[in-house]
Amino acid sequence: MDSEIRIGKWVEDLVSFMLDHFQSTFDAIATVVNGFGGAIDYVLVGAPAWLLIGLIVAISLWRVGVGFAVFTVAALVLIAGIGLWTETASTLGLVLTATLLSLLVGVPLGVWMARNRVVESIVRTTLDFMQTMPAFVYLIPAVMFFGLGRVPGILATVIFAMPPAVRLTSLGIQQVPAEIVEAGKAFGCHDRQLLFKVQLPNALPSIMAGVNQTMMMALSMIVIASMIGAGGLGNVVLQGIQRLDIALGFESGLSVVLLAIVLDRITQSFGRTASAPGPARFAFLRRFLPVPAR
Amino acid sequence: MNTMMRSAVSVGGPASLGFPRGAARTSIGEDAAVRLEVRNVYKVFSADPKPALSMLRQGASKAEVLEKLNVNVGVLDASFQVRTGEIFVIMGLSGSGKSTMIRLLNRLIEPSSGEILLDGKDLVSMSKAELIQARRRNMGMVFQSFALMPHLSALDNAAFGLEISGVSKAERHKAAQQALEQVGLGTYAHRYPREMSGGMQQRVGLARALANDPTILLMDEAFSALDPLIRTEMQDELLRLQREHQRTIVFISHDLDEAMRIGDRIAIMEGGRIVQVGTPYEILSRPADDYVRSFFRNVDASKVLRAGDVARYEATNTVIRLPGELTPALQQLRENHHNFGYVRTQDGRFEGVVSQTTLERELKGPQPRFINAFLPDVRTVNAATPVHALLALVADTEWPVPVVDDDHNFLGAISRALMLHTLVRGD
């Protein structure tokens, strides 16, 4: 055994070194994430089911259409009927928290990556690593650093779900047509204006596709993260597995699928129309708006 | 356009032949102020341009540098001047360096060496902050692919440059609306680019470049992506805008017809080098080398040349200056063996055409006056009228057709013989 490269041991040593020396940092992160996640959870789980369902249906109607709004009503009422509404709301909270954190880190990282070759090569390699590493493996350091519960669940999910946000932000910026970037420069943009007024708005469809992907990956990971006590629907799925309870497994699994479809369609709609503000369905409203003075 | 010009010819009476192009080519003389001057500019695409530059300065060609140093040469020792108020067309085939050239002018591409003076100030030596200010205040650019912001309405697109400069919303929207109205899109302000045709999008692109009233307008193959019909329409639009308000424009094109149509002067580029600069007529009549000549081989001279380019003054016509007597004028005509004489005032204004017959008739009268000796129905043509629009008129008129400029100054006349000679030029 001594002749082997003991890479696992080195990582273990690194983790315990960090635990010994950066405990206060981890505690601070844990406090922030717990506060953030807790607040979202408190609102979503605390709100009456009809209110939350009404809100999601309203967004579906606004962003996607009548047909999908009907589907959303049916799906969410079915979940409530099964008796898994609280768990679903909790999972929704976890997914939103993890997605927001992923974007908070991922989008700026993607921008940096698009603008700097060295950063690009480092981040790209790291992302490849992160995406191919089996999802369960993230749970171990998460537990080591943050114990059991919501915080390690969310952070493991953030790590797992971030790559698409980074990649698609970077890709979106790199794919802005050269002449549009030239136009920005030719009219006198300095670097920040070029980013915020030219590159980011033009990359928005791609960034929104990244948001969609990130959210879907967060949902899949948050179910797995129930193994370390993240809570929500994942707990029910886990119970179904442990008891070999087909009925419970199916009900909880179905709830995850329905939630996934609703979230997927809504975030996709933001990607589609990101380059064109105001859905055409509401174009008639323009008639009622005051005409700007000539 | 052609039909329009022909109908203008057929309008009766002694009126001057109107032609929309007018001002641009005739009024920008050699003496117009230089707005932009490019001096010995080189661009080599290399991290260290020095070895390539020294090779080029010793006379190496683009191909030699590429072979020896594996360095691409974009522009090679370019020098030219753009005068205030002219449309300066840089023309060349793809790979000739014309797109690089225009990007050097606002430093979207950094020159490797040389000077670019805009109103006497060197853009190349400016700091980044100064360059940004110069781009905001003095330069507008129009792109081949329009390059509009898809998330902004036509109004906000037109206001883009002003927004970047920090102009307040009310003010920039006002200027943008005016710019849109100039290009005929006043009522489309709230449309988005994806809701507009290519021609309309490029009008917005033009409005965006006009909104900050730039000192110089750079147009990179601005009409090349448009359908031929729309392209002609946009060229007319540009010429119309140019008549209303003379701007200094550098226009890149690979299309000879376009260059001939809109260019006051044309620079021809080949292999990164500027081979010849001149008016369309100069280039057509005296091509610098075989490359330029081959360009013009299939050009219909009657479409390129304008009345002002062809008209001859004294050599083939008798010019009578006022004030004067009828008897010496008749004498002059007889000596020159000319039947017709062109009467102009002291300060050059065209007055009319007399013939030996009318002078003789008038001299028999009690009080001989030039005005009574003028031939009736004499039509003048504006110097900017293309020759092909004159063929019928010249063929049908007994006397050489007098050519005048916008101020009705006599520039010369075109006889049938001169017209034929022009059409068979050099072949």
Side-chain angles (χ1 to χ4, degrees), chain B residues 54-85:
Chain B
S54 69
M55 259 186 89
L56 290 170
R57 291 211 173 95
Q58 281 159 20
S61 74
K62 187 173 160 167
E64 283 166 354
V65 174
L66 183 65
E67 193 183 325
K68 276 205 179 148
L69 301 173
N70 195 26
V71 167
N72 258 312
V73 178
V75 169
L76 210 164
D77 197 15
S79 296
F80 56 87
Q81 295 181 336
V82 180
R83 299 177 193 136
T84 305

Side-chain angles (χ1 to χ4, degrees), chain B residues 229-245:
Chain B
L229 214 65
I230 308 290
R231 192 183 310 158
T232 314
E233 193 184 301
M234 289 298 286
Q235 290 163 359
D236 292 341
E237 184 78 13
L238 185 69
L239 295 173
R240 183 185 64 75
L241 285 168
Q242 193 66 357
R243 269 198 314 283
E244 283 171 7
H245 182 121

Side-chain angles (χ1 to χ4, degrees), chain A residues 113-168:
Chain A
M113 182 176 161
R115 290 159 78 92
N116 188 316
R117 265 164 200 261
V118 179
V119 175
E120 190 195 353
S121 56
I122 296 171
V123 173
R124 189 173 291 280
T125 321
T126 316
L127 289 181
D128 289 341
F129 187 83
M130 279 164 72
Q131 277 189 309
T132 34
M133 184 67 87
F136 294 90
V137 176
Y138 293 122
L139 299 178
I140 305 165
V143 172
M144 297 284 282
F145 291 133
F146 300 101
L148 292 173
R150 175 157 55 205
V151 173
I154 289 174
L155 289 176
T157 305
V158 166
I159 305 273
F160 180 76
M162 198 167 49
V166 181
R167 273 193 211 280
L168 286 164

